[in-house]
Amino acid sequence: MTLDQRLIDVATELLDRRWPLADFAVAAAVRLDDGEILTSVGLDNINAGAGLCAETGALCQAYTLDRRVTASACVCRNDGAVGILAPCGICQERLALWGPDVQVAVADRAAPSGWSARALAELNPFYWATHFTDGTTWPSAAEHT
């Protein structure tokens, strides 16, 4: 299943429902291999070290359900405008469990929607963990454990 506007919309709906008046907030949505969508938000905590990326909850839920993630989108409201956040390096590591073809949303000013879908391998073409395979292929889910 591919990343589409529906995934962005679901994440944005969560953002609006959870933090309707916040100047800054982040929410995420991930699509599973059967099309189901899981959503999550990061933790609000006075100690930033205790916080988590918005995608983390949905990724952990997918893993708990033993389901494959095929796409991920993270949206951010900053001073009233909603935009797309590409996954940070840690979330790229989390998504790597499901392979280099996982699609992620990235900001793209040239696209009519303001975002586009990219394969995780495009964000991380020199993935360090290929060292533990033949040097060119991503580790499988079994090799991640």
Side-chain angles (χ1 to χ4, degrees), residues 14-141:
L14 175 59
L15 182 77
D16 292 340
R17 185 173 60 250
R18 180 66 176 84
W19 294 285
L21 302 175
D23 290 333
F24 181 81
V26 181
V30 301
R31 178 169 280 126
L32 304 180
D33 51 358
D34 69 350
E36 182 181 357
I37 295 175
L38 304 175
T39 61
S40 59
V41 298
L43 300 173
D44 291 327
N45 195 297
I46 197 165
N47 178 348
L52 296 170
C53 296
E55 302 97 313
T56 306
L59 296 177
C60 288
Q61 186 178 3
Y63 190 74
T64 299
L65 295 170
D66 196 21
R67 300 289 298 287
R68 190 169 70 85
V69 171
T70 62
S72 178
C74 186
V75 299
C76 168
R77 182 185 312 107
N78 192 15
D79 292 330
V82 175
I84 302 296
L85 297 177
C88 73
I90 293 172
C91 285
Q92 288 182 44
E93 281 297 319
R94 292 172 179 140
L95 288 164
L97 176 63
W98 293 285
D101 297 326
V102 173
Q103 293 187 344
V104 296
V106 299
D108 182 349
R109 293 181 186 188
S113 62
W115 67 274
S116 60
R118 296 283 188 261
L120 188 57
E122 292 179 73
L123 270 64
N124 199 342
F126 302 102
Y127 185 42
W128 66 273
T130 60
H131 171 78
F132 300 103
T133 62
D134 66 3
T136 61
T137 58
W138 283 44
S140 67

